[in-house]
Amino acid sequence: MIDLDHNATTPLDPRVRAAMVELWARDDLGNPSSPHGRGRAAREVIEAARRRVAAALHTEPLGVTFTSGGTEADNLAVLGAARALREQGRPCGVLTSPLEHPAVGAAVARLEREGFPVERVSVDAQGRIDPDDLAQRLRDRPELGLCSLAAANHELGNAYDVAAFSAALRAVRPQVLIHVDAVQALGKVPVSLTEWGVDLVSISGHKIGGPVGSGALVHHRNLRVEPMLCGGQQERGRRGGTEGLWAIHGLGVAVELAVAEQPSRRATMVARRAQLLQGLCARLGARIHGDLEHHVGNTLNVAFEGCAGELVMMALDLEGIAVSTGAACSSGVLQASPVLRALGQSPQRALEAVRLSISASTTEAEIDAVLAALTDAVPRIRHAASKETDAS
């Protein structure tokens, strides 16, 4: 199998697996909330992971709240922060974009149904966001108190200048809370709470070679968020429930590796992406969606005129090649991508899109094999589609 769907998930890094297996072999670990020796041993595992994540993302250990993954981290940031702002009597409306992952988009939509003010900034045909437009939206609507944007788009692979967003927003309202979904950014571009100048950052383990079921919301240590899970005081009251010890341990190792190796991983991915892009354009005349200048280095969103993306994905799957047509959270739903619709693509053109996402382990030979498979499949799909059109 050739995997070009790394934005959906990544294989467990062997070094992460080894660290988790070593922990599984221990028999001295209890409930991390218990005060006895077994509980204290488990607590130290969690706190060691917390220190690793905090150091990697430039915050304090008490500013790391572990979650079950990126979706929960995004939900906790958006729902929890907005509701906490309302409880404090502060502006609690949300400023966001139409390009966000469903984990953010659906959370914002829920707040909107609950009566929270919501403003969505405009994007251009490449999915770019103007910091000045963000600032103007905040200036025009004093009821907005939270901004939630992604550092990297999950479908397009666009990388955004988060520090510029933050500077523009704080020039208008210094106390505005800024949340960044860094799930698709970590390990591909530098991620830093302090250097970005933001308040909350969401990450996910299985996007960086860590275990499924692990994630974190990174934030300022005393930031208030309303918990979504009740029944316990774990994670300083922000996230009830007994901590997933082994997943958290694996996340800590994965984050440390992703940050340390980010420059070398990106260099390799950029080279493979350039090889893929050149072949797609030269041999297949592909239409490319997104910002070709500012990108995370591993993602291409492409379309082939007259070819349904779903059929292209199925044809490649038969050849042992994994790609996708959008966010894995939305798989099984045949509808035009909201991200591409926000870029101005018609429903028909949006349904032609295929997302190709590589990793640092993707080889030149694998890219050549994918290009060969597409060179065979795309004309066949076009021919079948034209025959169907003629028959109708």
Side-chain angles (χ1 to χ4, degrees):
M1 169 67 74
I2 297 176
D3 187 358
L4 261 65
D5 194 20
H6 284 270
N7 282 8
T9 195
T10 57
L12 188 64
D13 188 301
R15 295 166 294 180
V16 176
R17 181 187 294 110
M20 294 174 70
V21 168
E22 183 179 352
L23 189 67
W24 274 315
R26 290 176 57 177
D27 59 4
D28 63 330
L29 303 173
N31 188 314
S33 296
S34 298
H36 50 62
R38 288 170 59 82
R40 293 196 304 273
R43 172 56 52 193
E44 177 49 34
V45 172
I46 291 175
E47 296 312 315
R50 201 185 309 277
R51 290 192 294 271
R52 276 178 155 151
V53 173
L57 301 186
H58 304 154
T59 191
E60 299 175 88
L62 291 179
V64 176
T65 297
F66 291 118
T67 68
S68 63
T71 293
E72 186 188 342
D74 281 339
N75 274 233
L76 181 58
V78 175
L79 299 173
R83 290 168 178 166
L85 287 170
R86 181 177 61 182
E87 287 295 313
Q88 297 169 62
R90 296 171 56 187
C92 58
V94 184
L95 175 61
T96 188
S97 90
L99 304 179
E100 302 310 305
H101 187 277
V104 168
V108 172
R110 176 177 292 184
L111 289 174
E112 198 167 22
R113 291 193 298 271
E114 294 176 3
F116 284 76
V118 171
E119 179 80 6
R120 293 176 179 84
V121 71
S122 300
V123 301
D124 69 10
Q126 284 74 50
R128 294 175 296 204
I129 297 172
D130 184 354
D132 292 336
D133 190 19
L134 278 175
Q136 189 60 49
R137 302 294 180 119
L138 192 64
R139 188 177 295 110
D140 291 343
R141 299 195 61 179
E143 68 272 25
L144 301 179
L146 170 68
C147 179
S148 180
L149 295 169
N153 186 267
H154 58 291
E155 290 191 30
L156 304 173
N158 288 7
Y160 296 98
D161 188 344
V162 175
F165 291 167
S166 176
L169 291 166
R170 297 208 188 279
V172 175
R173 194 172 306 149
Q175 70 273 27
V176 66
L177 292 184
I178 303 174
H179 165 243
V180 176
D181 177 353
V183 167
Q184 293 292 351
L186 187 60
K188 301 166 190 170
V189 297
V191 173
S192 170
L193 187 84
T194 54
E195 290 178 14
W196 280 349
V198 302
D199 302 287
L200 308 105
V201 173
S202 303
I203 63 171
S204 172
H206 77 107
K207 306 293 188 179
I208 55 169
V212 172
S214 67
L217 181 62
V218 182
H219 50 81
H220 296 304
R221 60 178 293 174
N222 293 319
L223 184 70
R224 287 183 57 185
V225 293
E226 288 292 314
M228 296 189 301
L229 300 179
C230 302
Q233 287 301 307
Q234 292 88 350
E235 298 302 295
R236 300 184 74 204
R238 293 188 176 92
R239 204 269 185 185
T242 303
E243 297 94 338
L245 188 64
W246 292 270
I248 288 172
H249 179 57
L251 175 70
V253 176
V255 170
E256 194 170 66
L257 290 170
V259 171
E261 298 175 359
Q262 182 268 315
S264 60
R265 291 186 188 186
R266 177 177 172 83
T268 302
M269 291 188 295
V270 166
R272 295 290 81 76
R273 180 184 179 277
Q275 177 191 355
L276 181 59
L277 177 62
Q278 195 278 333
L280 289 169
C281 294
R283 295 164 60 173
L284 293 158
R287 185 173 72 247
I288 310 298
H289 303 131
D291 189 340
L292 289 177
E293 183 179 358
H294 305 103
H295 56 81
V296 290
N298 85 311
T299 306
L300 284 170
N301 190 297
V302 305
F304 307 99
E305 199 74 33
C307 297
E310 194 82 6
L311 295 179
V312 174
M313 180 183 71
M314 292 168 61
L316 291 178
D317 186 43
L318 292 173
E319 298 298 320
I321 301 169
V323 301
S324 73
T325 56
C329 297
S330 304
S331 62
V333 181
L334 187 59
Q335 63 179 11
S337 160
V339 170
L340 295 181
R341 296 288 287 128
L343 268 58
Q345 296 288 326
S346 68
Q348 179 180 347
R349 285 168 68 89
L351 285 170
E352 293 173 344
V354 176
R355 183 184 70 182
L356 310 172
S357 50
I358 63 180
S359 77
S361 64
T362 304
T363 67
E364 291 185 38
E366 288 176 327
I367 297 297
D368 286 338
V370 171
L371 290 171
L374 284 169
T375 301
D376 175 65
V378 168
R380 287 192 288 106
I381 294 170
R382 279 197 182 122
H383 180 66
S386 65
K387 287 181 64 176
E388 185 175 321
T389 301
D390 292 342
S392 61

